[in-house]
């Protein structure tokens, strides 16, 4: 094992270093086939872009969650409002004008939206989530009551407990094919839903049957070849009457 780096950039060398196995981490890799070399790959920041509809300038608007159940300061390293970066990550902000405003969030963990990140952000109307996100934490969008649409990225594999609970104005949800687990109350009380589409051919694990409670009894669309598998899968069988094939 080398003791120090001679150079540290995108293609660096360890003095007297030879890797016997490949070692790969998000930003560093040792290549066994190339003696004395370590590769450093800077992590590109992940930025979420949200829109807020502000109806009053007389009181602060909640734009992130920084409470006891949060993930540090909501898992954000930086917040930018209408093109201006704030000196600190904040949980609320008093806007100067009514109407639509844009808030950009830089995540601390580039592939995860942390627990409770936007819980209670009732003025949020939309959010753009990059494709590199793989985990959406518990309560991440809980009670975002004016969120009208959301695209869950194709790379997401886990939707945790109550992630979208009480998002009453969502009209449809598409769950990507790679999702393997859906948490308890994940979409509970999304009363405005007209349909739910699940692209996975193998039924994701349902942590609890309440994942889709109070969702307007809407249709749950799944791949045609998987209808029977969903209808008979553990916990999904309680939703069998709502499960249909995705329309052609």
């Amino acid at each position: 094992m080398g003791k120090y780096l001679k150079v540290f950039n995108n293609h660096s060398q360890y003095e007297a270093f030879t890797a016997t196995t490949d070692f790969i981490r998000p930003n560093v890799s040792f290549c066994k086939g190339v003696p004395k070399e370590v590769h450093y790959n800077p992590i590109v920041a992940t930025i979420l872009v949200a829109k807020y509809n502000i109806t009053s300038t007389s009181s602060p608007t909640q734009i992130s969650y920084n409470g006891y159940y949060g993930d540090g300061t909501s898992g954000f390293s930086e917040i930018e409002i209408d093109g201006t970066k704030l000196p600190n990550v904040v949980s609320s902000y008093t806007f100067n004008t009514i109407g639509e405003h844009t808030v950009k969030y830089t995540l601390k963990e580039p592939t995860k939206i942390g627990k409770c990140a936007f819980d209670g952000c009732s003025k949020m109307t939309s959010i753009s989530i990059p494709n590199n996100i793989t985990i959406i934490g518990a309560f991440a969008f809980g009670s975002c009551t004016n969120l009208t649409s959301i695209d869950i990225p194709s790379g997401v594999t886990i939707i945790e407990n109550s992630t979208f609970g009480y998002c009453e104005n969502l009209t449809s949800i598409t769950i990507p094919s790679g999702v393997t687990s859906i948490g308890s109350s994940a979409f509970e009380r999304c009363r405005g839903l007209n349909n739910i589409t699940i692209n996975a051919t193998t039924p994701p694990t349902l942590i609890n049957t309440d994942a889709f409670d109070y969702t307007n009894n809407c249709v749950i669309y799944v791949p045609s070849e998987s209808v029977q598998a969903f209808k008979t899968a553990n916990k999904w069988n309680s939703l069998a009457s709502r499960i249909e094939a995705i329309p052609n």
Side-chain angles (χ1 to χ4, degrees):
M1 176 64 70
K3 294 182 179 179
Y4 62 92
L5 287 172
K6 294 172 65 178
V7 183
F8 199 71
N9 50 37
N10 283 0
H11 191 83
S12 305
Q13 289 190 334
Y14 264 118
E15 183 69 19
F17 173 83
T18 300
T20 56
T21 59
D22 288 337
F23 175 87
I24 300 173
R25 289 294 183 269
N27 63 333
V28 175
S29 61
F30 301 155
C31 305
K32 69 178 181 179
V34 188
K36 297 186 179 181
E37 293 189 0
V38 55
H39 296 264
Y40 175 71
N41 309 301
I43 296 176
V44 178
T46 298
I47 298 174
L48 311 182
V49 181
K51 301 291 185 180
Y52 285 80
N53 182 31
I54 304 305
T55 56
S56 172
T57 59
S58 62
S59 59
T61 297
Q62 184 175 336
I63 59 172
S64 68
Y65 186 87
N66 193 17
Y68 178 79
Y69 293 105
D71 183 6
T73 50
S74 302
F76 307 129
S77 60
E78 186 175 86
I79 291 181
E80 177 186 307
I81 297 179
D82 294 330
T84 300
K85 294 180 181 179
L86 301 189
N88 300 297
V89 174
V90 298
S91 59
S92 60
Y93 183 83
T94 301
F95 290 88
N96 295 323
T97 59
I98 62 173
E100 186 177 81
H101 292 265
T102 301
V103 183
K104 295 182 179 180
Y105 303 84
T106 302
L107 295 180
K108 284 183 176 179
E109 295 185 48
T111 61
K112 179 181 180 180
I113 299 176
K115 181 179 181 181
C116 297
F118 298 100
D119 188 30
C121 293
S122 61
K123 297 297 183 181
M124 180 191 292
T125 57
S126 67
I127 188 164
S128 176
I129 304 176
N131 287 331
N132 58 307
I133 295 297
T134 60
I135 298 175
I136 303 179
F139 298 91
F141 294 97
S143 297
C144 289
T145 52
N146 278 302
L147 189 63
T148 57
S149 65
I150 190 163
D151 291 326
I152 302 175
S154 59
V156 169
T157 59
I158 298 174
I159 298 173
E160 296 187 347
N161 295 345
S162 300
T163 296
F164 298 99
Y166 289 82
C167 289
E168 297 175 350
N169 279 302
L170 286 177
T171 57
S172 66
I173 282 288
T174 298
I175 298 173
S177 60
V179 171
T180 59
S181 176
I182 299 174
S184 178
S185 302
F187 298 94
E188 183 180 8
R189 296 183 190 274
C190 293
R191 298 180 185 274
L193 285 175
N194 295 318
N195 61 78
I196 298 164
T197 300
I198 302 173
N199 287 324
T201 54
T202 299
T205 298
L206 271 188
I207 304 302
N208 201 313
T209 57
D210 63 2
F212 301 101
D213 277 3
Y214 305 102
T215 52
N216 198 27
N217 202 35
C218 70
V219 175
I220 300 174
Y221 290 118
V222 303
S224 58
E225 68 272 25
S226 302
V227 170
Q228 193 58 28
F230 271 86
K231 284 179 175 287
T232 57
N234 185 36
K235 296 188 173 67
W236 286 102
N237 52 13
S238 67
L239 300 165
S241 63
R242 296 171 57 181
I243 295 171
E244 297 182 14
I246 296 173
N248 293 326

